[in-house]
């Protein structure tokens, strides 16, 4: 079973009281050994803490959920790097959380830069007398509406549209599970299409 499969299948089912039977030391030891029950217990015990830290820093509940999942996936994949003598598992998870939050904030900046650069290119194109007006309008509408999507959806579609990355490449770049990337792409495209049609029934997405 892969780390992604472990995370997707194990983390949602973490609300049972049996997971409270682990002491912190037992949980940490089992986590290092690769015990999936200890992964579930860690998520049950500290998932809310991770989510709260991400939500406060990012101000976006959905993005905080993505960061939370990414944190535990990264911790599971990198569990061999955890050293109990250096501190408790909870502190190690908080350290990973802070790095993933920083990554998310950096990604926001890159997204803003991409959208701004795209807007600048569109402005130049709009001044070109030989440009096709309909094509320019479609691209302006698309860029504008893309920037209005929730941050994770905007990031996935920006990487797909402007960086020409596949969903697998996006998953590798972001550290998100492929299923999460596909979900963001699907929801983002649906919202994008709906908004563009609301603005202009004749507009074309893609």
């Amino acid at each position: 079973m892969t780390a992604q499969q472990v995370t997707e299948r194990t983390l949602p089912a973490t609300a049972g009281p049996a997971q409270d039977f682990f002491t912190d030391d037992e949980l940490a030891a089992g986590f290092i050994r690769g015990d999936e029950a200890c992964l579930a217990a860690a998520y049950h015990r500290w998932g809310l803490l991770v989510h709260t830290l991400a939500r406060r820093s990012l101000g976006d509940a959905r993005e905080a959920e993505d960061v939370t999942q990414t944190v535990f996936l990264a911790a599971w994949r990198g569990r061999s790097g955890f050293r109990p003598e250096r501190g408790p598992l909870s502190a190690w998870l908080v350290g990973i959380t802070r790095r993933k939050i920083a990554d998310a904030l950096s990604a926001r900046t890159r997204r803003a830069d991409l959208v701004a650069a795209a807007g600048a290119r569109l402005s130049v194109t709009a001044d070109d007398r030989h440009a096709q007006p309909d094509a320019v309008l479609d691209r302006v509408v698309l860029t504008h509406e893309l920037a209005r999507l929730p941050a994770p959806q905007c990031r996935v579609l920006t990487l797909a549209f402007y960086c020409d990355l596949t969903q697998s490449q996006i998953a590798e770049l972001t550290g998100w599970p492929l299923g999460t990337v596909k979900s963001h792409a699907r929801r983002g495209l649906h919202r994008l299409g709906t908004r563009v049609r609301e603005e202009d029934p004749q507009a074309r997405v893609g």
Side-chain angles (χ1 to χ4, degrees):
M1 181 178 291
T2 66
Q4 177 179 330
Q5 290 172 327
V6 168
T7 303
E8 291 178 341
R9 295 178 185 177
T10 307
L11 295 188
T14 57
Q19 287 139 7
D20 291 331
F21 293 160
F22 290 108
T23 66
D24 285 358
D25 288 343
E26 290 171 341
L27 195 159
F31 192 91
I32 294 172
R33 289 196 307 270
D35 186 337
E36 294 176 20
C38 290
L39 168 63
Y43 185 83
H44 174 65
R45 191 167 300 180
W46 296 301
L48 180 59
L49 170 63
V50 171
H51 185 274
T52 299
L53 291 172
R55 177 70 182 271
R56 287 176 179 173
S57 297
L58 300 172
D60 185 288
R62 292 180 180 176
E63 194 170 6
E65 291 173 2
D66 287 330
V67 166
T68 301
Q69 185 174 15
T70 301
V71 166
F72 282 92
L73 178 60
W76 184 249
R77 286 173 170 169
R79 60 188 180 276
S80 61
F82 171 57
R83 297 290 182 269
E85 64 274 13
R86 297 180 182 176
L89 181 59
S90 57
W92 188 64
L93 291 171
V94 168
I96 296 174
T97 301
R98 297 193 187 283
R99 292 195 294 274
K100 296 303 180 183
I101 290 172
D103 289 344
L105 292 172
S106 295
R108 279 187 183 177
T109 301
R110 291 194 298 272
R111 283 197 304 274
D113 290 344
L114 281 170
V115 172
R121 289 196 299 271
L122 289 171
S123 296
V124 171
T125 303
D127 291 335
D128 185 350
R129 295 181 180 180
H130 299 290
Q132 296 294 326
D134 289 343
V136 172
L137 177 60
D138 286 350
R139 291 167 61 194
V140 170
V141 171
L142 177 61
T143 301
H144 173 70
E145 296 299 337
L146 184 63
R148 295 173 58 190
L149 292 176
Q153 296 173 21
C154 178
R155 184 179 187 188
V156 168
L157 294 184
T158 296
L159 290 171
F161 291 163
Y162 296 111
C163 299
D164 198 27
L165 298 183
T166 66
Q167 291 181 335
S168 296
Q169 290 170 331
I170 293 172
E172 183 177 355
L173 177 65
T174 61
W176 295 341
L178 181 58
T180 298
V181 171
K182 290 181 177 179
S183 179
H184 286 324
R186 182 174 61 255
R187 291 198 300 266
L189 286 171
H190 176 74
R191 295 183 65 164
L192 195 62
T194 299
R195 285 178 172 174
V196 170
R197 285 192 296 271
E198 288 174 352
E199 293 291 333
D200 180 1
Q202 301 302 317
R204 299 179 298 279
V205 179

